[in-house]
Each structure stands twice: as structure tokens, then as C-alpha cells.
Amino acid sequence: MILWEDNDYMVINKPPHLATLADRSEPVSVLSLARTYADAAQVCHRLDKDTSGILAIAKNPEAYRHLNMQFEKRTVGKIYHAVVDGLHQFENRLVDMPIIKMDDGLVRIGREGKPAQTYFISLRSYKGHTLVECRPITGRMHQIRIHLSTMQAPITGDDIYGGKPFYLSSVKRSFNLKKDTDEQPLMKRMALHAYSLEFKDTSGNSVKVVAPYPKDFQALVRQLEANE
């Protein structure tokens, strides 16, 4: 999973369905695995369990504080890629809507929420979907998901915020399903991937790392390209 590392940090490509931090129901996590590699490892930010992609991990407390300060000052460059439902032409569109965290673990938009800003750029349009670049300025929980939903562009497969699953039968006329079976979505999660991260190492040098798409995200994009 390691894409880049030095004496202070390792940057990984987190697979989907793996939690960043452990809890009672998920004893295995990114952090627990990282600490088998570096005893003092600390994750510097989080990704939702079903979100794949780039994650920075500090190997020592000083490095953790150094990168944490960059996140607080919002000088870390974060890019996500998402496949969303519908056709959309976002040209560096800013969504500036405060987010409220609810007791049930979800979020909603509300004036009394914490400030949240995300920029969106459409990268490619398909028949009924769009590949979108997302650049969050703040780092609120479910920020990209709820901001896209407010523009009627929910992430494909994100049923919590209005996204619909993607079925091969929707693009393949010759698709045949085995008798007495139900068709399963091509991706068994939302189509959101943390694509790149840019920050300063402890020497002040710029580091930019890109995380390739995982297999399920690649498969979705290939099917959309094949049926444009």
C-alpha cells in the first residue's frame, strides 16, 4: 500500500472497506497495520471506510505535529475523484455551505454548522455520469459527499446522500443474469477516491503523491468509457 516514504512519513493508497482507525467492530485498521511497520505511527487525516486512496501517516510525533499544522492552516493540497450521477459541467465551481454533524453519524447543511468549502471541476462526461475532480479546502466529515448532493450530483453508489448504484445492465444490452439471482452493483461502495496529496516534509520540501485508482473504480470508469 505504500506509495512514498521517508524517515518521517509514509503515504499509502488505502484500499476500500478498510477503516482508518480501529473500533470494537473493526479491530483491523490502517493505524493498526501502520504500527506493525512503525511503532509510533499516527494517521494525519482520515478517509471514510469505503473511500479509497491517499492517506498520510507520520512515523514520529514531531512529523505528526508538522503535518497537522499544515492541515490546520489549510495549506495541504487534496484532490479527490468522484463518479457522480447525471451530466454536469462544473468549471472550478465553489460550494461554500456550512456542515452540521448529526448524532446518527451523518451530516446536513445548516447555517449553524461549521464552515466548509469545496471546489469542483468536471473532468469527463459519459452517457449518464460525470467524472469530477473535488478539491476540499476544509476537511469536514462527509464534506464532498454532501456538497455534491446539494448540486443534484450525488456520488454514484452513495445511497446515504442520494446516489444510485451502477448496474452493468444499464449500459450493456447483451447483459444476461443467471436464473434466480439478483444483479449486484458493479461497485459495492460509493465511487469516491482520494487521488492526490501535496504537503511540505519536515525539511520544507514539497511532496506530491498520486494514488492510482483501485480495481473497482477502474472497472467503473472503463465501463462508462466503453459505453459513451
Side-chain angles (χ1 to χ4, degrees):
M1 289 191 286
I2 298 175
L3 298 170
W4 175 91
E5 70 175 317
D6 64 4
N7 292 330
D8 295 308
Y9 300 103
M10 51 184 159
V11 179
I12 69 164
N13 191 356
K14 185 186 89 64
H17 314 300
L18 177 65
T20 302
L21 301 177
D23 58 30
R24 290 180 181 178
S25 62
E26 299 287 345
V28 178
S29 66
V30 169
L31 183 58
S32 67
L33 294 173
R35 284 184 173 168
T36 66
Y37 186 78
D39 292 343
Q42 287 282 358
V43 291
C44 299
H45 53 121
R46 298 187 190 185
L47 294 177
D48 291 341
K49 181 180 176 181
D50 285 347
T51 302
S52 57
I54 209 150
L55 196 63
I57 301 167
K59 295 180 180 180
N60 57 71
E62 183 182 348
Y64 176 77
R65 287 191 293 271
H66 179 74
L67 187 48
N68 197 44
M69 285 296 295
Q70 293 176 66
F71 275 107
E72 286 186 9
K73 292 178 180 179
R74 299 175 185 171
T75 58
V76 177
K78 298 172 288 183
I79 296 177
Y80 291 71
H81 284 184
V83 174
V84 304
D85 295 345
L87 300 178
H88 308 275
Q89 288 297 326
F90 302 136
E91 296 181 5
N92 211 31
R93 179 168 174 178
L94 171 64
V95 175
D96 187 355
M97 293 184 175
I99 291 174
I100 302 169
K101 185 177 178 181
M102 311 296 287
D103 291 338
D104 60 3
L106 304 181
V107 302
R108 67 177 178 86
I109 301 296
R111 290 181 182 177
E112 64 273 35
K114 292 183 177 180
Q117 300 89 28
T118 318
Y119 284 93
F120 297 99
I121 300 172
S122 296
L123 297 177
R124 186 165 180 177
S125 296
Y126 306 101
K127 277 186 177 178
H129 297 81
T130 307
L131 179 64
V132 178
E133 177 179 289
C134 318
R135 293 177 177 261
I137 305 304
T138 52
R140 308 301 176 199
M141 177 179 170
H142 296 182
Q143 177 174 317
I144 292 171
R145 299 165 66 182
I146 191 72
H147 277 176
L148 282 168
S149 183
T150 65
M151 297 189 293
Q152 289 73 52
I155 298 173
T156 300
D158 186 5
D159 56 358
I160 291 175
Y161 296 106
K164 298 176 182 177
F166 179 85
Y167 294 103
L168 275 177
S169 59
S170 68
V171 294
K172 280 196 170 185
R173 293 180 181 177
S174 59
F175 182 81
N176 290 315
L177 193 64
K178 291 181 180 179
K179 189 177 180 181
D180 299 324
T181 60
D182 294 324
E183 185 181 0
Q184 297 297 310
L186 182 62
M187 278 187 77
K188 294 179 173 60
R189 65 178 180 105
M190 60 182 170
L192 180 62
H193 177 71
Y195 182 71
S196 71
L197 191 72
E198 187 169 6
F199 63 96
K200 300 282 189 182
D201 66 14
T202 54
S203 298
N205 300 312
S206 291
V207 176
K208 183 174 182 179
V209 188
V210 172
Y213 293 163
K215 289 181 179 179
D216 60 351
F217 202 102
Q218 287 182 39
L220 175 60
V221 170
R222 278 199 302 266
Q223 286 299 329
L224 292 172
E225 289 174 347
N227 294 277
E228 282 185 283

